[in-house]
Amino acid sequence: MFDALKEKLSGIFSRLSSKGKLSEADVDTALREVRRSLLEADVDFRVAKDLVAKIRERAITLDVLQSISANDRIAAIVYEELIFLMGRNEPLIISPKPPTVILLAGLQGSGKTTTAVKLARYLKGSHNPLVVACDLRRPAAVEQLRVLAEGAKVAFFGPDGKKSDVLSVVKGAAKYSESHMNDVIILDTAGRLHIDDDLMSELKSIAEILPPHEKILVVDSMMGQEAVNVAKSFHALLTLTGLILTKLDGDSRGGSALAVRAVTGIPVKFVGTGEATDALEPFSPERIAGRIMGMGDIQGLVEKVKAAGLDSQAIKTPEKLAKQFTLETLLQQFEQIEKLGPLGKIAGMIPGLDKIKNFRADDVDESMLRRNKAIIQSMTREERRNPKIIKGSRRRRIAQGSGTSVQMVNQLLAQYEQMKKMFKAFSSGSGGGRKLKSLLGFGR
Ligand SMILES: Nc1nc2c(ncn2[C@@H]2O[C@H](COP(=O)(O)OP(=O)(O)OP(=O)(O)O)[C@@H](O)[C@H]2O)c(=O)[nH]1
Ligand SMILES: [Mg+2]
């Protein structure tokens, strides 16, 4: 997802020369491109305009870390602003007094029925959810929900006869949930081509019988900019509590995710990433911004580490790394990375690694890792802790000891220096806080 925007932005940043100091003209040239890319990626024009103005202000007034290249600085500002724009991930509202009622509304085909079952499946580990078929307009809708629910092993409630009306279904569901101990009720409602009075009064009367704790608009992200208008209209009539953006798997124009939250103020709670009922992910602004920018999927890495059953502390954050980054640390990192499996993939997730000259994810292979490990292992403890002392004769000895060449030793040492510099840049001047704040030397 978001490939188009990512491609454009990285194109812009690579065109910007890496001169230390930015002129206003540089910034403006870059920002014109950023603005155009955002618009092409379907970001609402007002949002794009505000975003660009903010970036400009920060990029020209603050020129702190001269050692960081201009494009890195602008990239980091854009990253921060994208995250800010998308807001924090907000969890589902779960009522302290069960049952929690979740109403799903949205235009025709936006993904309500699928999402109802996805949500139930998502909650199944911690709750006993019930999905309720409230769409009696489309003949096959009830059956669709029933079949999906059955496939996902989720409790289902629907009309018992052909003549049922929506309100009696909702009343029936309330009773059913009591006797079956369902603590979450998810209501799948009918869709329309356009927002109309009929739809709204139906939603309102459902809400009177089972007052929803969550009123979630299910939005098809392929709608592009129109998503903002749809969200605004539903919000005006229903006072929404959240959004779920669907079909992000098939969408390269991902700007709707950036824009809806910014314009409406309603948090995006989940994103749908496929047709299967397990293709639902909590919305993560960092992850999406990181992917847009190609700046390393930090969270993805942490998850991968957890899944591999390793200590998440073992993979250090840039801040931790900067404090004491020696060749010993590097060796430990290599060892941890080795345990994680397919290297090219992992390397792409390590923050900043792709920014290092001559360090392309594709080049990371097991043999290089083994070679670098052997080089560090052939050093004395003192050398590992204080690589500055590794001069000509030591380099020859290490090359011999590790069965490599002086050139390879040089290469590793140069890489180490580059990483060290980068981690320093990542962390200087901040004691925690936002990950990239320090790359800029300032932040929110
Ligand atoms: N690729 C992809 N397809 C999705 C996603 N969510 C839903 N779909 C598909 O979109 C189509 C419409 O989904 P439904 O769940 O029936 O949408 P709906 O809003 O209930 O539609 P109506 O009841 O007709 O208003 C189906 O073919 C789904 O499989 C998603 O996240 N990714
Ligand atoms: Mg439906």
Side-chain angles (χ1 to χ4, degrees):
M1 63 175 121
F2 299 108
D3 285 347
L5 181 56
K6 176 173 162 172
E7 235 165 67
K8 289 262 173 47
L9 289 177
S10 27
I12 295 164
F13 295 131
S14 62
R15 277 204 299 284
L16 254 189
S17 67
S18 51
K19 39 189 160 176
K21 201 166 158 56
L22 280 176
S23 72
E24 276 198 46
D26 285 338
V27 173
D28 284 335
T29 312
L31 289 184
R32 255 199 305 281
E33 293 290 328
V34 170
R35 195 178 112 88
R36 194 172 348 161
S37 301
L38 291 171
L39 291 177
E40 276 171 18
D42 267 342
V43 173
D44 183 272
F45 70 95
R46 287 155 293 192
V47 175
K49 194 172 154 232
D50 286 355
L51 178 64
V52 167
K54 259 196 209 153
I55 296 169
R56 183 176 197 281
E57 192 185 314
R58 293 179 60 183
I60 59 172
T61 54
L62 293 152
D63 210 348
V64 187
L65 273 179
Q66 296 293 323
S67 62
I68 302 295
S69 69
N71 40 356
D72 278 356
R73 247 179 296 159
I74 292 203
I77 298 173
V78 175
Y79 175 83
E80 280 203 339
E81 293 295 343
L82 287 176
I83 290 174
F84 184 71
L85 193 64
M86 287 186 277
R88 235 175 308 164
N89 174 308
E90 289 185 33
L92 275 179
I93 299 166
I94 297 291
S95 164
K97 198 170 145 270
T100 298
V101 178
I102 302 174
L103 175 85
L104 298 182
L107 294 185
Q108 219 165 64
S110 59
K112 296 175 294 298
T113 304
T114 316
T115 304
V117 177
K118 284 181 179 179
L119 260 186
R121 188 168 169 176
Y122 178 85
L123 291 168
K124 221 172 60 173
S126 48
H127 294 83
N128 181 22
L130 174 72
V131 295
V132 181
C134 303
D135 178 2
L136 308 183
R137 286 166 193 268
R138 198 161 56 81
V142 175
E143 191 56 13
Q144 184 196 358
L145 184 69
R146 198 184 60 73
V147 169
L148 283 174
E150 202 175 279
K153 299 198 169 51
V154 160
F156 163 87
F157 185 88
D160 52 5
K162 284 234 150 44
K163 273 191 262 159
S164 306
D165 62 293
V166 176
L167 298 188
S168 55
V169 171
V170 177
K171 281 179 197 153
K175 246 200 215 131
Y176 181 96
S177 71
E178 244 172 72
S179 54
H180 290 75
M181 314 280 275
N182 297 112
D183 55 353
V184 178
I185 301 176
I186 301 169
L187 306 172
D188 174 32
T189 65
R192 291 284 199 294
L193 277 177
H194 303 284
I195 296 161
D196 59 34
D197 294 346
D198 252 18
L199 171 70
M200 287 304 159
S201 64
E202 183 173 295
L203 291 173
K204 278 190 176 148
S205 45
I206 291 174
E208 273 163 27
I209 299 170
L210 270 181
H213 302 90
E214 283 277 15
K215 283 180 266 182
I216 293 182
L217 180 69
V218 178
V219 193
D220 181 344
S221 60
M222 310 278 270
M223 288 187 83
Q225 297 225 23
E226 188 51 23
V228 172
N229 296 331
V230 170
K232 269 164 68 179
S233 321
F234 269 90
H235 191 40
L237 291 159
L238 282 180
T239 323
L240 300 168
T241 55
L243 297 165
I244 295 182
L245 280 176
T246 61
K247 308 183 195 179
L248 272 175
D249 49 316
D251 180 26
S252 64
R253 307 191 303 164
S256 44
L258 309 181
V260 269
R261 164 75 201 233
V263 171
T264 61
I266 311 161
V268 181
K269 299 210 165 174
F270 289 90
V271 297
T273 56
E275 293 196 37
T277 53
D278 61 352
L280 185 78
E281 293 173 11
F283 178 63
S284 160
E286 284 85 5
R287 191 173 208 159
I288 288 172
R291 281 189 189 162
I292 291 171
M293 307 288 304
M295 290 188 81
D297 181 358
I298 297 163
Q299 250 173 284
L301 179 64
V302 171
E303 274 160 32
K304 181 107 191 179
V305 169
K306 276 199 193 132
L310 299 174
D311 177 11
S312 66
Q313 296 302 309
I315 299 283
K316 296 191 168 59
T317 61
E319 273 161 22
K320 276 199 190 141
L321 275 173
K323 281 210 182 99
Q324 215 188 18
F325 186 63
T326 67
L327 284 167
E328 265 176 356
T329 336
L330 189 59
L331 182 61
Q332 282 165 15
Q333 297 281 309
F334 281 146
E335 279 164 357
Q336 292 294 344
I337 287 169
E338 206 172 32
K339 286 192 205 158
L340 285 173
L343 277 175
K345 242 179 151 178
I346 297 289
M349 294 198 286
I350 297 177
L353 214 55
D354 56 338
K355 294 271 181 294
I356 299 173
K357 242 206 225 139
N358 306 327
F359 201 107
R360 290 202 315 264
D362 304 345
D363 295 340
V364 184
D365 60 33
E366 322 287 330
S367 65
M368 186 198 92
L369 190 71
R370 263 198 304 277
R371 199 177 69 207
N372 283 341
K373 268 177 62 186
I375 293 174
I376 302 177
Q377 277 159 349
S378 303
M379 296 172 182
T380 64
R381 208 167 147 178
E382 206 196 340
E383 286 166 346
R384 286 183 208 170
R385 295 195 171 166
N386 185 15
K388 279 203 186 75
I389 63 171
I390 308 176
K391 297 274 165 4
S393 66
R394 288 181 191 250
R395 289 184 190 206
R396 273 194 298 280
R397 193 208 74 236
I398 292 166
Q400 236 167 23
S402 58
T404 60
S405 64
V406 172
Q407 201 187 5
M408 287 174 185
V409 176
N410 291 343
Q411 216 173 39
L412 174 79
L413 289 172
Q415 244 171 34
Y416 160 77
E417 282 304 330
Q418 260 178 335
M419 288 178 93
K420 190 174 163 164
K421 232 191 254 162
M422 186 190 67
F423 291 132
K424 265 218 182 98
F426 263 118
S427 72
S428 64
S430 85
R434 305 185 59 161
K435 279 172 223 97
L436 286 170
K437 179 160 109 183
S438 41
L439 179 60
L440 309 163
F442 56 88
R444 227 171 256 291

